[in-house]
Amino acid sequence: MDYNELINRAIEVSKNSYAPYSKFAVGACVFTTNGNMYTGCNFENSSFGLTICAERNAVGSAIAAGETQIRAVAIYSPNSEYCYPCGACRQVLNEFKSEEGLDVILTGKDGIKSVPLEQLLPEGFIL
Ligand code: THU
């Protein structure tokens, strides 16, 4: 699978991040088994705990569009190399992983890393 387009969209949407408190911008783009892409950026709040991560924002857009299975997610931050998803986002991604699994695509100066979600969240909880 060619992840360049997914990464480019994650880079582009990270520019819309609303992160006045942490100053840590993040963009994400999910790729569904229907072949569609959905983006999201993080947006923070004065009440800090209400912050929504880029990954969960992107997943929400995919679900709202009627998607059910996510095959991959690209995550990008201009503030950090290889921006791994937080624990909460790993659990949310796990809920919508495709039958073939879900690849987490990360970018850094040594290139692109593709890590299976299963490696980041082994034996994730699911009802
Ligand atoms: N953040 C994300 O958007 N995704 C992650 O996986 C890590 C953290 C955001 C949340 C917050 O706005 C900022 O990065 C610093 O934690």
Side-chain angles (χ1 to χ4, degrees):
M1 205 186 300
D2 178 13
Y3 289 129
N4 283 325
E5 179 62 19
L6 211 57
I7 292 162
N8 286 340
R9 290 193 191 203
I11 292 170
E12 202 51 37
V13 74
S14 72
K15 296 172 188 165
N16 297 335
S17 160
Y18 176 75
Y21 309 109
S22 73
K23 315 258 192 257
F24 192 90
V26 186
C29 186
V30 299
F31 180 67
T32 68
T33 50
N34 289 329
N36 298 317
M37 288 181 255
Y38 300 87
T39 57
C41 59
N42 58 328
F43 58 100
E44 301 184 341
N45 192 275
S46 299
S47 178
F48 297 162
L50 299 182
T51 290
I52 303 291
C53 291
E55 300 89 322
R56 276 179 285 154
N57 191 3
V59 170
S61 293
I63 300 309
E67 302 283 353
T68 57
Q69 288 194 49
I70 295 172
R71 182 69 190 85
V73 59
I75 306 167
Y76 172 80
S77 172
N79 307 107
S80 155
E81 280 210 301
Y82 300 115
C83 180
Y84 282 88
C86 77
C89 289
R90 293 178 196 199
Q91 178 66 21
V92 168
L93 289 165
N94 190 54
E95 188 76 22
F96 300 106
K97 64 178 182 273
S98 77
E99 280 152 26
E100 298 83 42
L102 193 161
D103 295 331
V104 178
I105 314 301
L106 309 166
T107 52
K109 64 174 178 306
D110 293 331
I112 293 165
K113 275 190 209 175
S114 173
V115 187
L117 179 64
E118 182 63 34
Q119 193 179 310
L120 301 177
L121 187 73
E123 301 183 48
F125 174 74
I126 207 114
L127 280 177

